[in-house]
Amino acid sequence: MQRILLLLTLLIILTCSFTAVAHAQTQSEYVAIAFNDKLVHFPDAMPEVVKGVTYLPVRFFAEAMGARVEYNAANETVRIDSGSQHVLIDIPHKKITTADGVTTSFPLFMKKNRLMVPFRFIGETFGYDVSYTPHGPIARAKDSRARLTDEEVYSANKQIILAEKAKLPDKIAYVTFDDGPNQYTAQILDTLARYEAKATFFMLKGGIDNYPAQVKRMAQSGHGLALHGVTHNASQIYASPWAVVNEMEACNAALTRVTGLRTNMVRVPYGSKPWMTQSYRDALVNAGYRMWDWTVDSYDSRSINPHPDDIVQEVADQTAGQTAPVILLHDRQATLEALPRILQHLQQKKYELRPLQGSMKPHNFWNDRR
Ligand SMILES: [Zn+2]
C-alpha cells in the first residue's frame, strides 16, 4: 500500500511539473543559440523565450560546450560536468545545484521529451560570457576563443535562422466555451485532444458541481479554467456589484472543491456591456478578478437550433486578419458538430491554439485591462 502511495505521489509530482508549460511555440518566442562562433543545432525541441528568459534543451547545449551529461533515472536528476564545474539538475523539484552547493529554483519544463533549462544560468555557471542580440534573436555563450562579433554571427547564419523561424506559427487563437460543463463537454474535450488544441472554459457553478470529472480532465489537459457565475440571469447577477462578485466567488469555490485550484478569469453572462459599469468593474477587480469578453462571436447561442456550417463560417470570417482572436463558443450540440472544422480551419491558417492565462491582461468591451 505504501509503495502504491509513493508511486502515486511521484506520478502526481511528475504530471504537475510537466503539464504546466507544455505548448507549441510561436515566432515571437523563437531564439537561436550560438556557442562561440557557431550556431548550436537542436534536432527536435527548439530553444524558446518564456517570459523574457531563454530556455534550451540542456543536452545539446552541454554537448556544444564539450561537457559530459549524465541522467539518473532513479531520482530524475541530470548532472553536467565540464572542467572543475558541475551542476546537478533536480527535475521533479525544478532545482539546480552548482558545485559550490548553491541551489536555485527555476520553472524547468519538458518539451518533446527534452529537459528545458535557463540558458544564461547554465552558460554563466560554466564561465562563459552570455550575450543577447535582437537580430535573430540570438543568445550566445562565448569565451576567448570567439572570433566573430554577435552581429557577424547573425550575418553568417541569417538564412538558417530565418528558415527555422518561418516554421513556427505567428498567430495564437484563444478558443473559449461558455455555459458548461454539461452533457456535451466530454466530447468537446475529446475533439480538442484529437487536434492537440487547448481552450478555455468559462463555467457555471451548477455545471462544475454536476460534471466534476470533466472539470478535472480540463485541468489535467492544460485547458484554461474560468468562471461564468451561478444564475446566468441578468436581473440577479447584475443586481449590484456585490452580486457579480458573490456569484464568481461561489463559482470559484466550486472549482476549488473539484480541482484544488482557483482562477482569476471571469466572463460575465451576455458579455460585459452594458451592465459592467465602472463600479461593477471596480468591485470585480478589487476581488482579484480579470474580466474577459471576446473578439469573435460564433453566434452559436443566438438561435435555438443554429446550423454547424454557419458557426464555422462566422468563426472563419471574423477571425480573418486577427493575430490573437478570442473566440466565443458554447458547450452545445451544434458547436460540438462544428468544432472539428473550426479547429482545422484555425490550424490551416497557422493559429496556435492556446488557453487564456490568469497572467494575461484581459480583453473586454470596456478596454479595462486591469
Ligand atoms: Zn453564457
Side-chain angles (χ1 to χ4, degrees):
M1 187 61 198
Q2 270 206 324
R3 191 157 170 179
I4 291 170
L5 268 179
L6 187 72
L7 279 173
L8 269 178
T9 313
L10 197 68
L11 194 70
I12 289 164
I13 290 170
L14 287 173
T15 316
C16 292
S17 40
F18 293 160
T19 49
V21 199
H23 66 252
Q25 147 187 33
T26 58
Q27 286 187 10
S28 65
E29 294 148 333
Y30 174 85
V31 60
I33 304 293
F35 182 72
N36 282 327
D37 295 342
K38 287 190 172 158
L39 278 196
V40 180
H41 176 64
F42 298 91
D44 37 48
M46 305 254 276
E48 73 176 272
V49 179
V50 182
K51 291 180 184 160
V53 178
T54 297
Y55 284 80
L56 46 63
V58 66
R59 186 181 136 204
F60 299 99
F61 180 67
E63 286 173 356
M65 293 193 301
R68 203 173 68 241
V69 183
E70 262 172 52
Y71 173 63
N72 182 330
N75 49 15
E76 293 273 325
T77 58
V78 173
R79 186 185 156 112
I80 304 172
D81 271 280
S82 180
S84 59
Q85 183 58 278
H86 71 257
V87 297
L88 189 69
I89 306 171
D90 178 336
I91 304 173
H93 298 100
K94 301 191 179 195
K95 285 182 172 149
I96 302 180
T97 305
T98 53
D100 52 13
V102 176
T103 297
T104 315
S105 290
F106 291 100
L108 308 173
F109 60 99
M110 301 298 285
K111 182 174 172 184
K112 297 184 178 169
N113 285 319
R114 304 290 184 191
L115 174 62
M116 304 291 284
V117 301
F119 166 67
R120 177 177 290 276
F121 180 83
I122 297 294
E124 289 180 345
T125 299
F126 284 98
Y128 296 96
D129 283 332
V130 171
S131 59
Y132 179 87
T133 172
H135 277 143
I138 301 174
R140 185 185 185 197
K142 55 183 182 264
D143 60 14
S144 59
R145 293 170 290 176
R147 289 289 167 264
L148 303 179
T149 64
D150 290 355
E151 206 48 45
E152 287 166 342
V153 172
Y154 174 68
S155 304
N157 295 285
K158 194 175 170 184
Q159 298 311 322
I160 299 170
I161 288 170
L162 292 179
E164 282 202 325
K165 200 173 178 175
K167 289 182 202 158
L168 299 170
D170 61 350
K171 300 182 290 188
I172 302 172
Y174 301 99
V175 175
T176 68
F177 291 90
D178 284 13
D179 298 0
N182 55 30
Q183 68 268 37
Y184 304 111
T185 308
Q187 284 171 277
I188 287 172
L189 289 169
D190 290 344
T191 306
L192 290 169
R194 213 157 57 237
Y195 288 88
E196 293 183 28
K198 303 294 180 215
T200 303
F201 292 85
F202 289 92
M203 297 179 279
L204 290 166
K205 179 183 177 295
I208 295 172
D209 291 340
N210 289 329
Y211 294 86
Q214 299 313 322
V215 181
K216 282 187 187 134
R217 209 178 140 197
M218 288 169 199
Q220 281 157 4
S221 311
H223 295 298
L225 304 172
L227 312 173
H228 199 42
V230 181
T231 62
H232 211 285
N233 177 322
S235 63
Q236 289 187 52
I237 189 167
Y238 299 119
S240 74
W242 325 117
V244 178
V245 171
N246 286 341
E247 285 210 14
M248 295 308 170
E249 284 294 335
C251 193
N252 222 353
L255 179 68
T256 305
R257 276 196 297 278
V258 170
T259 63
L261 302 168
R262 265 181 77 84
T263 182
N264 67 354
M265 297 188 286
V266 307
R267 178 178 282 155
V268 293
Y270 314 106
S272 66
K273 273 199 171 167
W275 292 283
M276 293 299 287
T277 50
Q278 184 78 43
S279 59
Y280 281 76
R281 298 200 304 278
D282 289 349
L284 209 48
V285 168
N286 289 337
Y289 289 107
R290 289 181 161 173
M291 185 178 76
W292 287 88
D293 287 308
W294 55 84
T295 68
V296 172
D297 186 345
S298 67
Y299 296 134
D300 67 339
S301 68
R302 286 290 169 94
S303 64
I304 291 170
N305 200 7
H307 198 289
D309 292 355
D310 295 337
I311 300 173
V312 176
Q313 195 60 47
E314 277 301 338
V315 172
D317 289 351
Q318 292 181 43
T319 306
Q322 293 195 35
T323 53
V326 179
I327 302 169
L328 173 66
L329 300 169
H330 294 78
D331 297 50
R332 58 183 307 189
Q333 179 66 37
T335 308
L336 174 61
E337 287 171 28
L339 190 57
R341 279 178 286 156
I342 290 173
L343 300 177
Q344 276 164 28
H345 172 82
L346 293 170
Q347 289 178 335
Q348 268 164 17
K349 295 286 176 190
K350 293 256 185 249
Y351 284 100
E352 196 58 48
L353 302 177
R354 294 211 188 158
L356 295 173
Q357 286 178 352
S359 57
M360 292 168 66
K361 287 197 181 299
H363 168 90
N364 54 55
F365 301 147
W366 300 86
N367 267 329
D368 190 335
R369 309 214 68 202
R370 294 177 292 171

